[in-house]
DNA sequence: TATGAATGAGCCTTCATTCAT
DNA sequence: CATGAATGAAGGCTCATTCAT
């Protein structure tokens, strides 16, 4: 009777599980390294080493370094939008709260996780991988854009927000997120502590200001 | 009848003039190629060819590819800030106008020029070239940050703006600029026309919203 | 019927064996080429070719051309001295015999082998590779010096040699060896047969003269 | 009326003198650099700089780096041998004194001067310049060899020295000189002070020992 | 003559990719 | 499936040499 201790599992199972886990482990390792050092500066051997396999094995799962990159992006775009759509659909509070909640959620679920590196990665390497960038636009940016737009529309419809030029107003929320994420993954590591940004305060302040600009009847 | 066109100048002068022109030509070529293809994917030979010289000549002026990169960064920001500081110092209109003017100026003088690619480049390659990132932080981000801060402070001092948390409020103006620039150099080229962003409208709208959020007595 | 000849061994083993043999093969090839053409004039590709591998393979075993050089030096001196020290420690004959034996041994084990090219190489390239020269001084010259000094001391202690100024007397034995080796690897190949030196006779004659100068009671 | 102040000389003269001095200055600079760093590691630009001229000027006088090398050697072999031959011919003291004088002279006139670098240079680069090595053998080694041989022959003829095997005995005097010179130009700069060699003491001691070995009636 | 800007062949080194085991 | 030794194309950089001025 199998126990819970991994070491007691039949080796066959363990191997099999590992076998299936391999690509994931490689993608995980690649994500971290690509984000940290960029595509060109990351060596496949390093990725393999971080995943605990040999260089040859990597090429068993990914025909080339570029394919690995594509897989990293594809694997990390996670269709979270249907889930979020529903969540926000059922939201009953006022739109100020909803915007605040949305932004904080984004930070907690994406911004502060390694997944945020993906966006940095895609934007950085868009020139080298236009195909990927387009794909990302379609799968992530587009839906995200739509989601935010729906949130703002709700505020306008409920008479909470002014009559906003939605096509551009969405960017008032997107821009701070993108900025935060680029900052975190590029300049932050090179800046002295005095220039560091506290992400939560940052988001709070930005949202505060933006909402004030959006509200039909700004409170004093 | 000889004209003043360079090609007609005596050859004697051409060499000397070229010597002084070379670094500039190389930096110009490097700017375009680095922005277009990224640092790693650009070969020095290519840069040299675009500047109309041989590979060896490039190394006559720049000790290494990385130094060329630094020169590109340096050349495209030097002195801009002292000029701007003075300009804003002498501004006599109200602070709403000043903010609008500052943002539009930025777009015209940096955002819409190839120089904007520099920032994208630095953020993308920051991981690989921390030294460059630090340099950029010191020479560009820092002064820019200070400049914006002064502008906002002016608004507060003159009773036009609310009492803003300046440390974060500066990012309300910085974030849209960085976002616009990242977008332009990464996703934009891969997006269908329907998703394109008109930079001037974008800035107008953002500034509008932000100012509304900042004003002590928002107008209806 | 399979024999033991390498070419008949199962291919399976060949790779593994080669892996261990590679560094040695490369060092061997490098020794010959460095000695023949000098360090700078030898291309790593050539070394690799002589060892029957590709350029890349060389860098699999040696991080740089300079490290290859170091390995060549290291490989051709290691451990010789402990062996010799013991040998001379156990020597029972008189000191004249010991000196003769030592010098002849040196010729047979170093002087006449390609390893003698190393010393020429190190002395020639010392200016360019001070690190190597220092290493050589420490690992070869120092121990060799000490060994000879012990031999002479023995002669003095046993009353066979005069009271020699040992610090300088050691060079009476070292100088002819160094000279012979420099000569062999530099001028000899360019000299007409009439000027060639017979190494064994050379050593015999030098030792003869030197011993005569060292003996307390020179024989007629 | 011309004064002694150089600055008052007609420029034409000065230029003309410099013009004729150029090759010599270049050779002088090259000698130092070749000796110090070896042929390959010395850049022609450096040589030119040390001679106070531009790189282009060097090629005005020497068609190639190799030709410069050859000129350095040729220029520095100075047919001093006829002079020395006469000097020794007229020597009236005993042969022990003569040998001592010859060796000390060599050190003072060659060994301690930059000219000693030539021998080091030729031996080091003999492999790359066999032609030069042969030339050196003919012009320097040969005559030097003959000169020493004559000195020893004198000692034998005068009954001061034993009946020496002259063909090899000459090397008893040559070897210490060559060794000293190689040492000085290769290992010495890399050795700790404790391992430094005092050249004058070195020669004294060596000559002492060698003479003792050569004398028919060694003194106690 | 003298200059020094320009050249480009050549070399060391890296690293994605292959393949025999 | 997994390994890791081997490959070789590619790229940064050097430097002897040329040549217009």
């Amino acid at each position: 009777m199998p126990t819970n201790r991994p070491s007691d599992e039949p080796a066959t199972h363990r191997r099999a599980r590992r076998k299936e886990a391999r690509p994931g482990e490689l993608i995980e390792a690649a994500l971290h390294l690509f984000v940290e050092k960029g595509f060109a500066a990351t060596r496949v051997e390093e990725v393999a080493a971080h995943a605990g396999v040999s260089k040859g094995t990597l090429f068993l799962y990914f025909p080339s370094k570029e394919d690995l990159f594509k897989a990293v992006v594809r694997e990390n775009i996670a269709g979270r939008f249907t889930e979020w759509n529903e969540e926000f659909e059922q939201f009953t509070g006022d739109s100020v709260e909803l915007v605040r909640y949305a932004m904080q959620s984004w930070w907690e679920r994406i911004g502060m996780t390694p997944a945020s590196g993906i966006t940095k990665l895609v934007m950085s390497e868009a020139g080298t991988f236009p195909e990927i960038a387009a794909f990302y636009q379609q799968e992530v940016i587009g839906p995200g854009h739509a989601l935010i737009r729906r949130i703002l529309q709700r505020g306008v419809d409920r008479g909470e927000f002014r009559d906003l030029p939605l096509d551009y107003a969405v960017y008032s929320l997107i821009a701070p997120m993108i900025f935060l994420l680029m900052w975190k993954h590029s300049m932050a590591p090179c800046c002295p502590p005095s220039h560091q940004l506290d992400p939560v305060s940052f988001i709070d302040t930005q949202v505060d200001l933006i909402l004030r600009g959006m509200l039909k009847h700004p409170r004093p």
Side-chain angles (χ1 to χ4, degrees), chain A:
Chain A
M1 182 188 107
T3 78
N4 277 329
R5 284 191 301 135
S7 54
D8 281 341
E9 290 184 60
T12 332
H13 286 183
R14 253 214 334 290
R15 233 233 259 120
R17 244 200 315 103
R18 277 198 70 70
K19 193 177 93 178
E20 264 146 43
R22 283 283 147 77
E25 289 166 9
L26 282 161
I27 285 174
E28 171 90 2
L31 168 60
H32 282 285
L33 287 165
F34 283 160
V35 166
E36 188 189 319
K37 319 171 59 167
F39 177 78
T42 300
R43 272 170 301 146
V44 294
E45 192 161 19
E46 252 179 309
V47 175
H50 275 242
V53 299
S54 76
K55 203 173 10 168
T57 305
L58 187 151
F59 284 93
L60 224 52
Y61 293 101
F62 306 96
S64 76
K65 193 185 179 185
E66 299 213 348
D67 284 292
L68 172 62
F69 181 83
K70 291 177 185 174
V72 167
V73 177
R74 248 186 233 106
E75 195 67 23
N76 279 280
I77 50 149
R80 288 233 253 271
F81 289 104
T82 56
E83 171 199 348
W84 280 0
N85 271 330
E86 286 172 21
E87 201 175 334
F88 296 150
E89 218 79 24
Q90 292 160 10
F91 196 87
T92 53
D94 66 31
S95 294
V96 165
E97 276 176 75
L98 178 51
V99 167
R100 280 220 171 80
Y101 175 68
M103 296 290 278
Q104 282 157 6
S105 284
W106 172 82
W107 173 250
E108 279 158 25
R109 303 191 206 174
I110 300 284
M112 69 184 292
T113 75
S116 70
I118 289 294
T119 306
K120 192 263 175 179
L121 200 49
V122 172
M123 299 191 94
S124 293
E125 309 290 346
T128 323
F129 300 95
E131 189 195 338
I132 287 287
F135 172 73
Y136 196 75
Q137 149 68 26
Q138 221 170 65
E139 301 288 322
V140 181
I141 318 258
H145 197 280
L147 178 55
I148 293 177
R149 192 189 184 96
R150 253 191 318 273
I151 292 176
L152 295 185
Q153 185 69 63
R154 178 186 189 265
V156 175
D157 290 349
R158 292 172 47 133
E160 295 169 296
F161 294 161
R162 290 183 297 111
D163 193 22
L164 299 166
L166 286 191
D167 282 343
Y168 287 97
V170 287
Y171 291 111
S172 295
L173 292 175
I174 290 173
M177 293 193 289
I178 297 296
F179 171 82
L180 182 54
L181 162 167
M182 288 302 302
W183 187 263
K184 178 183 156 198
H185 288 289
S186 58
M187 307 311 292
C190 315
C191 286
S194 60
H195 284 78
Q196 295 303 321
L197 225 46
D198 174 54
V200 174
S201 308
F202 174 83
I203 289 180
D204 273 358
T205 331
Q206 299 309 316
V207 172
D208 228 54
L209 192 88
I210 290 158
L211 283 174
R212 200 181 289 263
M214 286 181 167
L215 284 176
K216 190 173 253 170
H217 309 294
R219 310 139 204 192

